Amino acid sequence: MGKHGLRGKHLVWDWNGTLLDDTSAVIGATNAAFAEIGLEPITLERYRELYTVPVPKFYERLMGRLPTDAEWIVMDGAFHRHYRPRAEGCGLTLGAAELLAARQDSGFTQSLLSLAPHAELIPLVRRHGIAERFVRMDGRVGDSTDGKSGHMVRHLAALSDVPADRVVVIGDAADDAVAAAHVGAKAVLYTGGSHSRASLERVGVPVVDSLTEAVAVAEELV
């Protein structure tokens, strides 16, 4: 099949809201954090309409202004403090484990790229029993509020022999598609996470309602 054959196609998976079905935990943690700083609670529907990366821009949409540096530190710390215990009770998205295993068994490669803190991401992925499905797993290192584009550059650079034009990013956020385009890769966006279908469709890449469909579409894209 040549260098762009069976093993040439590579998937980069997002974690939160994509492989991990944690939307309820995110909303719960968001509202618990909001309560600490006097913001009104937010519904799932409003969250999905307003959510964006970098996250301070999301707070700007809610507050009418960007949070100050001091406010952001409080907000971010409160969110993660409330999110961690909730995430422990979250399962994988329906069919995720089977899809990852089947794709690995077929000789394809895949990796995991998340803006979740790296030190917290890796143990959680391991506890779900899927770490061995990935050739590489990268979470966020440091306190950067930037989106995923620079992170994606570093991630692909660390993967050997994976040309960007044979990569498809599967995620639940517009930022996943932005990061894919930044490196010349394709993207498929899944509606089960942080964004509404309407907001995802404005991005201009394929939008799907299941991970099974996401993988099928990804195979067609490359």
Side-chain angles (χ1 to χ4, degrees), residues 89-136:
C90 294
L92 296 177
T93 299
L94 182 66
E98 293 80 6
L99 280 170
L100 293 170
R103 201 166 189 286
Q104 184 184 42
D105 289 345
S106 296
F108 293 103
T109 58
Q110 49 203 339
S111 57
L112 182 65
L113 181 65
S114 174
L115 292 178
H118 187 81
E120 297 173 17
L121 172 71
I122 304 306
L124 191 54
V125 176
R126 293 193 188 285
R127 281 201 293 277
H128 282 285
I130 58 171
E132 69 276 9
R133 306 301 179 200
F134 306 110
V135 295
R136 185 175 180 87

Side-chain angles (χ1 to χ4, degrees), residues 6-36:
L6 183 64
R7 295 182 182 277
K9 298 180 181 182
H10 181 86
L11 293 185
V12 176
W13 291 91
D14 174 56
W15 178 240
N16 301 101
T18 303
L19 290 175
L20 185 68
D21 185 13
D22 68 344
T23 303
S24 62
V26 168
I27 297 298
T30 297
N31 283 331
F34 281 4
E36 291 193 17

Side-chain angles (χ1 to χ4, degrees), residues 4 8-10 12 152-153 156-157 159 161-169 179-187 221-222:
H4 290 337
K9 298 180 181 182
H10 181 86
V12 176
M152 184 69 71
V153 171
L156 290 192
L159 295 171
D161 302 321
V162 180
D165 62 357
R166 302 296 290 172
V167 169
V168 181
V169 177
H182 184 70
V183 296
K186 301 287 197 304
L221 288 177
V222 294

Side-chain angles (χ1 to χ4, degrees), residues 37-147:
I37 58 173
L39 287 177
E40 292 295 315
I42 188 172
T43 63
L44 172 61
E45 291 73 24
R46 183 161 168 76
Y47 180 92
R48 282 178 162 161
E49 281 301 322
L50 295 180
Y51 183 75
T52 190
V53 174
V55 178
K57 294 290 289 182
F58 169 55
Y59 288 116
E60 180 182 28
R61 292 179 176 186
L62 290 168
M63 301 168 64
R65 63 176 176 80
L66 275 172
T68 65
D69 288 347
E71 287 172 330
W72 165 247
I73 290 170
V74 172
M75 290 172 164
D76 191 46
F79 172 82
H80 286 291
R81 189 171 66 253
H82 289 292
Y83 172 78
R84 287 184 199 107
R86 288 171 167 84
E88 294 296 330
C90 294
L92 296 177
T93 299
L94 182 66
E98 293 80 6
L99 280 170
L100 293 170
R103 201 166 189 286
Q104 184 184 42
D105 289 345
S106 296
F108 293 103
T109 58
Q110 49 203 339
S111 57
L112 182 65
L113 181 65
S114 174
L115 292 178
H118 187 81
E120 297 173 17
L121 172 71
I122 304 306
L124 191 54
V125 176
R126 293 193 188 285
R127 281 201 293 277
H128 282 285
I130 58 171
E132 69 276 9
R133 306 301 179 200
F134 306 110
V135 295
R136 185 175 180 87
M137 299 183 289
D138 284 318
R140 175 172 56 83
V141 177
D143 297 323
S144 172
T145 59
D146 294 338

